[in-house]
Amino acid sequence: MAKKAFITGITGQDGSYLAELLLSKGYEVHGLIRRASTFNTARLDPIYDDPHCDARRLFLHYGDLSDASALARLIGKIQPEEVYNLAAQSHVRVSFDSPEYTADITATGTVRLLEAIRETGIRPRFYQASSSEMFGLVQEVPQTERTPFYPRSPYGCAKVFSYWATVNYRESYGLHASNGILFNHESPRRGETFVTRKITRAVAHILAGLQDKLYLGNLEARRDWGYAREYVEAMWLMLQQDKPDDYVIATGETHSVDEFLTAAFAYAGLDREKHVQIDARYYRPAEVDLLIGDASKARRQLGWAPKTRFPELVKLMVDADIELLRQRRQGQVRSNRER
């Protein structure tokens, strides 16, 4: 009988890649989605075209991390062997504008989910999506599982709460609960308001003559950027271990936003000086200047290591956005002809 997995945040970048991975391994996958007036499942569309994924084993359920009773009902109904908590208000800059909402979903939402698991009496393995933003004003370089947290945003604070809640439920109730402290991980499915995708999307639109200027904030911030498709493999590996634990998932390299910007524009043959302007509105009230992770423990205990390096990541994201825009424009032309 197929294993059952429950994924919150299944319509996001990580959730969609994780769903693909689990389906390819024969799981029955259940995902939590929020009710919206428009379709918000586009990132799941590739599943229906993938011969390795049986879409008949994918089930979507309406719900929200703010609704404890709905979570308990779903957990009790599905009876999953694995639960992956990927849902969050995950945009750091937005968390300064909506700190209470960020805390409610990103922090308290985790406790609601953990309580739903505890109250139903089932014993699934639990994965919490922790973040390198918890390190904030870094206390050592590189950052490991033992580096003290110093969050610099409401989002980072909320993730620290969820991290320790997960540890607490592991130690208090014997739950097989693990934290994946993932450093920045990008892909063509990254949200368009996140800086890497904002850059690659702008490159595609500038090449097509649909955009002239790209407005950005702090170009000096340095991040450890990996490929999201590879990072969800680490999530799954954590829940296959005999004992739960916490792991840093990172490439061990750091690059500035400026480097990402330069690489993307150079790859497309564009002159960044003609198109890029700094806008102070995109600066954070408190900046995280440097993040770089040491994933030695994951390499040693999980057998996980990143494969896609920074230059390849930039190129695949630029190529994907150029192709996406081409497909959209073809679709518009086809639609106009059919009217």
Side-chain angles (χ1 to χ4, degrees):
M1 193 169 179
K3 267 188 179 182
K4 294 181 183 179
F6 179 59
I7 304 172
T8 71
I10 195 171
T11 59
Q13 169 188 253
D14 293 5
S16 62
Y17 282 127
L18 179 61
E20 286 182 17
L21 176 69
L22 296 179
L23 288 169
S24 72
K25 293 181 179 295
Y27 280 65
E28 179 179 303
V29 176
H30 295 259
L32 186 71
I33 63 171
R34 287 179 295 174
R35 177 71 177 88
S37 59
T38 57
F39 289 113
N40 58 355
T41 58
R43 291 187 180 96
L44 298 175
D45 289 347
I47 288 172
Y48 298 93
D49 299 321
D50 189 339
H52 302 292
C53 297
D54 184 352
R56 294 172 298 179
R57 288 186 279 106
L58 174 63
F59 302 90
L60 302 179
H61 308 269
Y62 287 117
D64 195 289
L65 286 186
S66 65
D67 189 344
S69 60
L71 290 174
R73 283 197 304 272
L74 279 174
I75 292 292
K77 176 183 176 182
I78 297 166
Q79 300 267 312
E81 282 91 355
E82 296 175 5
V83 174
Y84 297 85
N85 184 29
L86 310 185
Q89 189 303 99
S90 59
H91 197 288
V92 177
R93 182 62 188 83
V94 170
S95 76
F96 285 100
D97 299 324
S98 302
E100 184 178 345
Y101 174 74
T102 300
D104 183 51
I105 299 301
T106 308
T108 311
T110 302
V111 173
R112 293 188 186 106
L113 185 57
L114 287 166
E115 274 294 283
I117 292 169
R118 187 178 72 84
E119 289 179 356
T120 54
I122 64 172
R123 305 293 293 178
R125 297 188 172 190
F126 179 81
Y127 172 84
Q128 169 59 26
S130 291
S131 168
S132 59
E133 288 287 333
M134 299 188 304
F135 295 121
L137 186 62
V138 297
Q139 303 300 291
E140 64 178 357
V141 178
Q143 293 87 57
T144 72
E145 293 82 3
R146 296 183 177 182
T147 302
F149 300 138
Y150 196 135
R152 298 270 281 172
S153 66
Y155 170 76
C157 293
K159 282 295 187 180
V160 170
F161 179 95
S162 289
Y163 173 93
W164 285 115
T166 301
V167 172
N168 186 256
Y169 275 70
R170 179 170 72 211
E171 296 178 351
S172 299
Y173 304 114
L175 185 65
H176 190 297
S178 297
N179 282 289
I181 308 174
L182 272 59
F183 281 63
N184 290 64
H185 45 292
E186 318 299 314
S187 77
R189 298 182 192 176
R190 190 60 144 148
E192 293 180 356
T193 60
F194 289 83
V195 67
T196 52
R197 185 73 196 289
K198 186 176 178 180
I199 291 170
T200 60
R201 182 180 181 277
V203 165
H205 281 69
I206 291 169
L207 282 174
L210 299 176
Q211 181 176 338
D212 183 54
K213 297 295 182 182
L214 168 62
Y215 298 94
L216 296 171
N218 180 18
L219 299 186
E220 302 308 313
R222 303 185 67 84
R223 296 291 184 268
D224 184 326
W225 274 309
Y227 185 23
R229 184 186 290 275
E230 296 169 0
Y231 280 38
V232 300
E233 295 175 12
M235 299 177 188
W236 176 76
L237 286 168
M238 290 179 209
L239 298 200
Q240 311 316 305
Q241 306 306 302
D242 292 334
K243 294 182 179 180
D245 208 341
D246 309 315
Y247 299 89
V248 162
I249 303 299
T251 69
E253 298 180 8
T254 186
H255 299 274
S256 67
V257 175
D258 190 74
E259 288 178 72
F260 193 102
L261 176 68
T262 299
F265 272 71
Y267 178 61
L270 292 172
D271 182 357
R272 53 170 282 182
E273 300 302 325
K274 293 181 179 179
H275 301 286
V276 179
Q277 291 187 6
I278 302 301
D279 188 333
R281 291 178 297 176
Y282 294 112
Y283 278 81
R284 301 179 186 178
E287 184 57 78
V288 174
D289 297 318
L290 168 67
L291 292 174
I292 178 170
D294 180 353
S296 298
K297 181 178 176 181
R299 189 186 303 268
R300 185 174 62 253
Q301 294 184 203
L302 303 179
W304 180 89
K307 303 178 184 68
T308 304
R309 293 300 180 181
F310 181 76
E312 288 72 34
L313 178 63
V314 175
K315 291 176 182 178
L316 74 85
M317 289 182 66
V318 170
D319 286 340
D321 266 321
I322 291 172
E323 175 60 19
L324 178 62
L325 182 58
R326 185 189 68 80
Q327 291 177 2
R328 285 179 177 173
R329 297 183 84 180
Q330 282 187 341
Q332 289 174 349
V333 170
R334 192 178 302 112
S335 176
N336 290 335
R337 287 173 179 170
E338 292 171 354
R339 287 176 183 172

